[in-house]
Amino acid sequence: MFDPYLEELHNSIKDHGGSLLNLPNDFKEYFESKSNAKIQNWLWDVPGFRRWRVTRLDAGNKLQVLNSVAYPNYNQEKPIMGIDLLWFDKSKKLVAVLDFQPLIQEKAYFDKYFDDLRSLKDRFPKFNHQDKMISYNPNEYFSPWLLFCKGGEVEANEILPLIFTLFIDSYWKVANKKNNFPDRLTFDKVKRLQINYDTYSEEKDPAHAIFAGFFGKEWSERFSKEFLFPLCLKNN
Ligand code: BLA
């Protein structure tokens, strides 16, 4: 379901000078026969970024996931790029979340980095899911123009392909924006906010139970600590 997006994302990262970093073998790929679930991960070194991770989960018709987070360097106050795409084939249900995740919730910051995301949001009303978030706080590390869809096959097959490309292209524009650092946020402040992002995300992530169910508690805890949220204060 998400392989074309995975390929597009990886090609786009390579086009922007990214190179693959090494990972432990059981993070590169891990298969659990009991659950028939496979997870693959990639870690990229990309100019301008401190860390860019990509995860692909294939649990057949139970669940398909593409997840990616890009953390700019600490001397860049730019938003974090966050993608979480889920497809539940049995129920033909799509959950798609794409955002420039803001470090702070201030108008001047939004005005500087969010024009393109705002216009994407205007163009794609189906990605304007209005229900309350269940686990996350919409005012913490989510922007007012978060692209959020809870839909089905039409959204997955007809709208997501358009949005995905435009979203990635828009984020590169933000990433390539000249940084007038130190602007609003200093190096130390950006670092603190990124540490807080990992701490917050680790706490709220609805995926823990899923990973533990598919791959066992032990592997999943190490994966969360060492790959997903290494800066999480709980782990340090
Ligand atoms: C929701 N993400 C979810 C859900 C699951 C995952 C199971 C709940 C789906 C539902 O409502 O039915 C699963 N998240 C995963 C998996 C990974 C993961 C398997 O990270 C693997 C690494 N989540 C992110 C990022 C964003 C994000 C980067 O990891 C930001 C774009 C957002 N996921 C996000 C949001 C929801 C969600 C906003 C809805 C949750 C809510 O309603 O509070």
Side-chain angles (χ1 to χ4, degrees), residues 53 55 57 65 67-69 82-84 86 88 93 95 97-99 101 132-136 142 148 150 197 205-207 210-211 228:
R53 65 167 162 88
T55 295
L57 171 69
V65 178
N67 180 275
S68 184
V69 180
I83 296 175
D84 201 14
L86 295 94
F88 302 85
K93 189 179 106 170
V95 177
V97 195
L98 306 102
D99 200 9
Q101 302 200 257
K132 266 212 187 123
M133 283 189 189
I134 301 157
S135 45
Y136 296 97
F142 288 104
F148 186 12
K150 287 198 174 182
Y197 174 92
D205 193 351
I210 291 179
F211 287 134
L228 293 178

